Amino acid sequence: MRNIILITILILFSISLLSAQNCVSEDSVYKFTFNNRNYEFITVAKTWDDAQECAKARGGYLADIESEEENLAFTNYLLDSLRLNHSIDLKKDNDTIIWLGGESKLIYEGTENLYTWYWKNPLTMQQEKSLANHFYSFNQFDTQKNKVTFPNNIYLNWGQELSSHKYPWFGDKQLETKIALALDNIYLNGTNQNTAIIGQWVNLNPEEELYFLIDYGCTNEIINKIDTVICSEMFRLGDSIITETGFYKQTLNSYTDCDSVVELTIDFASINNEMTIQSDRLLSKELQADSYQWYRCDLNLPIQDANTFFLTIEETGSYRLELEKNGCDFVTECYDFCIPTTFKIDTVKCTNESITINGQDYEKKGFYTQKLKQEGFDCDSTLEIDIKDVAINLSVKQQSGKLVSSESAGEYQWYNCEGDVLIADATQKEYTPSENGDYKVEITKQGCIDYSECISFSTSTNSVKDIQDSESIKLDLDNNLILFDNKNYDQIELLDINSKSIYKSDKYAPSISIEYLNTGVFFLKVVIGNEVEMFKFMVVE
């Protein structure tokens, strides 16, 4: 890919002025250029004849207007450029009409008024009517219809009325008038009737004193020498296509009667666009470029801080180099690099379930590998997979009249194995059954669910001591008391044979009454710190 720089050749020219330029001071002269012609705007008010003589003395002539583009260029310069660049506001200063180089004269005893641009066709009273076709423009004044006609093939921009700005027509006699350019709306004297708008032409008495435009035209041959560097592989000069470095000469017609000669010394920019390709690097053979920038073609993004003649490739992708030399931009083709990469995944699954990775199922824990195709590139990457089962401790212990799960990090739900019935609100790590039976716990951990074996639970298990075996707790059935001999406790609780709480207290007392107990088997739960003791006793008649 190459960026083609289009070069517009501006042909500059110079004018040799005549020595007699003292008709105006230089601080009243404002120079500008349009379409390969040089102009001057003079801010000294003169009659049309004096302005024409001054223009001749300076080597030019009062300007004509031959196209809509030229007319627009004049108005833009006079109304905008002068104000912005030189602080001259012609509207504000009421200098809104300026002399051009057009004139009209009466011929054939005043029956016809002819118009022309003076520098092309000066008119005389003695000219024959047959010469009218040679005039740059002409009109026939129709006294009955009060309108003016002009040839259709000539650019004209008249106002609505061919009247004088200060001097209207006098009866049936017409004055010889000159042409001026309006820079503001012009109205007929003493009326609101619009005579011309901005950019239109009006007839004026030549004795009026106005600012004026001087046209310097151009010589038959203007030579401009240009040395340039061309960034593309070819260059068009006129009708010729140039593809080799060298000296060229071309004659151009850039404006009416303005032939210009361009002498070109052309040097086609050269660059070494080759690349050295290594296993993990790209190296440009152009070592004298002014700047380098590497890009990812597949992502269409510049690579940050990649601004040297080489690039170290770190990942699979497509790469190109954009470089600039001698003001020309060049872009290399894209180069694909495929770098095998190893990725690692550590994951877990439920013990009795499988896991799917990239469409492949794994039922057992272990270490596995997969080969992965890199989309758009001809090389594989390796995926290393380490699969572990979610570890759930399913053992359950019975201690201190409770069932306790050995799993410390899960969610719990206890079941009665008889009928596999869920026990409401039994969702803690510990569960105290209210009756003998077989129980299990459901444990949820990391999204996996598993169950313990069913554990037989009995309130009369070996973990419950007979109260008669305690050295510090005495059962006094004669007085219906349980006595605590030097045994301080944090909490005591009486339970019936079904583990239903009958009495519970967090306050220490040396004894508690059991006279309200019916006959049967009961349990005494004693809590001291983190330890719990269960004692069994019987009440008889």
Side-chain angles (χ1 to χ4, degrees):
M1 185 186 297
R2 295 178 181 273
N3 293 332
I4 298 178
I5 307 298
L6 300 178
I7 297 182
T8 302
I9 302 176
L10 300 176
I11 303 177
L12 307 177
F13 58 89
S14 60
I15 302 296
S16 298
L17 300 178
L18 298 177
S19 58
Q21 296 182 349
N22 57 359
C23 56
V24 292
S25 60
E26 291 303 315
D27 59 2
S28 64
V29 177
Y30 297 89
K31 301 177 184 293
F32 66 100
T33 302
F34 169 71
N35 214 1
N36 202 33
R37 299 174 75 95
N38 284 345
Y39 299 91
E40 287 181 349
F41 177 60
I42 308 299
T43 57
V44 176
K46 291 181 178 292
T47 64
W48 189 90
D49 289 332
D50 290 343
Q52 188 69 268
E53 290 301 318
C54 183
K56 290 180 181 179
R58 294 183 65 81
Y61 48 86
L62 286 184
D64 63 344
I65 298 179
E66 302 179 11
S67 68
E68 182 178 0
E69 292 77 16
E70 190 176 22
N71 199 84
L72 181 62
F74 286 171
T75 56
N76 286 344
Y77 175 78
L78 295 170
L79 293 177
D80 295 330
S81 296
L82 280 177
R83 178 174 52 83
L84 294 175
N85 299 327
H86 303 288
S87 299
I88 296 177
D89 191 337
L90 296 178
K91 282 190 176 183
K92 184 177 180 181
D93 297 337
N94 203 28
D95 296 307
T96 53
I97 304 178
I98 65 167
W99 284 129
L100 297 176
E103 66 172 346
S104 69
K105 283 187 179 293
L106 296 172
I107 62 173
Y108 289 101
E109 298 179 352
T111 61
E112 188 171 356
N113 209 42
L114 298 182
Y115 289 81
T116 187
W117 296 115
Y118 177 82
W119 74 276
K120 283 184 175 291
N121 298 291
L123 290 170
T124 65
M125 292 291 291
Q126 290 75 30
Q127 285 181 297
E128 297 291 334
K129 183 177 181 181
S130 61
L131 295 179
N133 290 331
H134 297 284
F135 298 159
Y136 200 72
S137 62
F138 74 97
N139 83 302
Q140 292 179 326
F141 186 73
D142 188 331
T143 57
Q144 295 180 352
K145 296 182 180 180
N146 193 30
K147 65 181 181 179
V148 182
T149 58
F150 293 93
N152 292 331
N153 62 333
I154 301 298
Y155 173 73
L156 298 168
N157 194 32
W158 290 107
Q160 296 179 4
E161 299 287 342
L162 294 183
S163 63
S164 171
H165 174 48
K166 292 184 178 179
Y167 303 95
W169 303 107
F170 292 96
D172 59 356
K173 182 181 180 181
Q174 302 172 35
L175 295 174
E176 292 183 359
T177 59
K178 308 300 180 182
I179 299 174
L181 175 65
L183 301 178
D184 201 352
N185 293 330
I186 305 300
Y187 299 93
L188 195 62
N189 287 348
T191 71
N192 293 325
Q193 181 181 346
N194 187 273
T195 300
I197 62 175
I198 295 174
Q200 289 187 329
W201 309 338
V202 294
N203 288 331
L204 291 184
N205 187 307
E207 297 303 316
E208 289 202 47
E209 294 185 348
L210 306 175
Y211 295 166
F212 53 96
L213 272 174
I214 299 178
D215 187 339
Y216 287 97
C218 54
T219 61
N220 290 331
E221 185 173 274
I222 304 171
I223 298 177
N224 186 50
K225 296 182 178 181
I226 299 175
D227 293 332
T228 187
V229 175
I230 306 299
C231 298
S232 62
E233 295 179 340
M234 57 170 285
F235 174 71
R236 181 180 294 276
L237 180 61
D239 296 329
S240 302
I241 296 178
I242 300 171
T243 58
E244 296 181 358
T245 296
F247 175 80
Y248 299 88
K249 186 175 182 180
Q250 177 75 39
T251 299
L252 303 176
N253 190 312
S254 60
Y255 194 73
T256 305
D257 297 332
C258 294
D259 291 337
S260 302
V261 176
V262 180
E263 294 182 351
L264 286 173
T265 301
I266 296 178
D267 182 16
F268 285 91
S270 62
I271 191 169
N272 191 337
N273 216 24
E274 296 181 4
M275 197 78 69
T276 299
I277 305 173
Q278 298 178 350
S279 60
D280 63 346
R281 290 211 305 176
L282 280 172
L283 299 94
S284 172
K285 292 187 177 181
E286 177 54 68
L287 304 180
Q288 303 298 322
D290 298 322
S291 67
Y292 302 86
Q293 177 61 62
W294 293 90
Y295 280 78
R296 279 287 296 267
C297 299
D298 49 328
L299 303 178
N300 196 29
L301 292 173
I303 303 173
Q304 189 174 4
D305 299 327
N307 308 113
T308 61
F309 71 94
F310 69 91
L311 176 68
T312 300
I313 310 299
E314 297 180 350
E315 60 181 347
T316 297
S318 183
Y319 300 86
R320 74 173 185 267
L321 173 63
E322 296 187 7
L323 60 161
E324 188 266 335
K325 182 180 179 182
N326 296 332
C328 297
D329 296 328
F330 296 89
V331 181
T332 69
E333 61 181 287
C334 293
Y335 296 87
D336 293 341
F337 275 79
C338 200
I339 308 232
T341 307
T342 299
F343 303 93
K344 293 183 178 181
I345 294 179
D346 294 329
T347 188
V348 294
K349 71 177 187 65
C350 301
T351 302
N352 299 320
E353 297 180 4
S354 65
I355 186 172
T356 302
I357 301 175
N358 292 328
Q360 187 169 344
D361 295 332
Y362 298 91
E363 295 181 353
K364 297 181 179 180
K365 66 180 180 180
F367 183 81
Y368 304 89
T369 61
Q370 290 183 1
K371 291 295 184 181
L372 303 178
K373 178 73 175 177
Q374 299 197 71
E375 185 176 353
F377 299 93
D378 190 20
C379 68
D380 296 332
S381 292
T382 301
L383 178 62
E384 296 180 349
I385 307 170
D386 189 6
I387 302 175
K388 293 183 174 63
D389 286 340
V390 174
I392 302 177
N393 191 335
L394 298 175
S395 64
V396 176
K397 297 178 182 179
Q398 181 174 330
Q399 58 186 29
S400 302
K402 293 182 179 181
L403 295 176
V404 181
S405 171
S406 297
E407 175 56 58
S408 60
E411 298 176 2
Y412 310 89
Q413 177 61 62
W414 293 89
Y415 286 79
N416 190 325
C417 292
E418 184 177 354
D420 200 28
V421 178
L422 180 148
I423 302 172
D425 299 326
T427 57
Q428 302 300 317
K429 182 180 179 180
E430 299 178 350
Y431 172 62
T432 303
S434 60
E435 59 184 359
N436 296 339
D438 293 335
Y439 298 90
K440 68 179 179 180
V441 63
E442 175 192 271
I443 300 176
T444 303
K445 183 178 179 181
Q446 294 179 243
C448 296
I449 300 175
D450 210 343
Y451 298 85
S452 70
E453 294 181 354
C454 290
I455 305 298
S456 296
F457 176 82
S458 173
T459 57
S460 59
T461 58
N462 294 332
S463 61
V464 179
K465 300 177 182 180
D466 194 298
I467 199 169
Q468 302 296 334
D469 296 332
S470 175
E471 296 180 356
S472 58
I473 302 176
K474 304 298 181 183
L475 179 62
D476 184 357
L477 293 178
D478 293 337
N479 297 307
N480 292 320
L481 293 173
I482 295 177
L483 304 175
F484 298 95
D485 184 15
N486 297 323
K487 186 176 183 68
N488 293 325
Y489 57 82
D490 298 317
Q491 185 186 82
I492 59 169
E493 185 176 8
L494 285 176
L495 305 169
D496 64 12
I497 189 66
N498 295 317
S499 299
K500 181 178 180 181
S501 179
I502 300 172
Y503 171 83
K504 185 176 182 180
S505 176
D506 294 330
K507 295 181 180 181
Y508 173 75
S511 65
I512 62 172
S513 174
I514 58 172
E515 64 179 351
Y516 56 88
L517 297 180
N518 296 323
T519 58
V521 176
F522 296 91
F523 297 90
L524 175 66
K525 178 180 177 182
V526 181
V527 179
I528 302 174
N530 294 325
E531 294 184 2
V532 179
E533 290 183 302
M534 295 289 290
F535 298 92
K536 179 178 64 175
F537 63 95
M538 183 177 292
V539 176
V540 296
E541 295 182 355

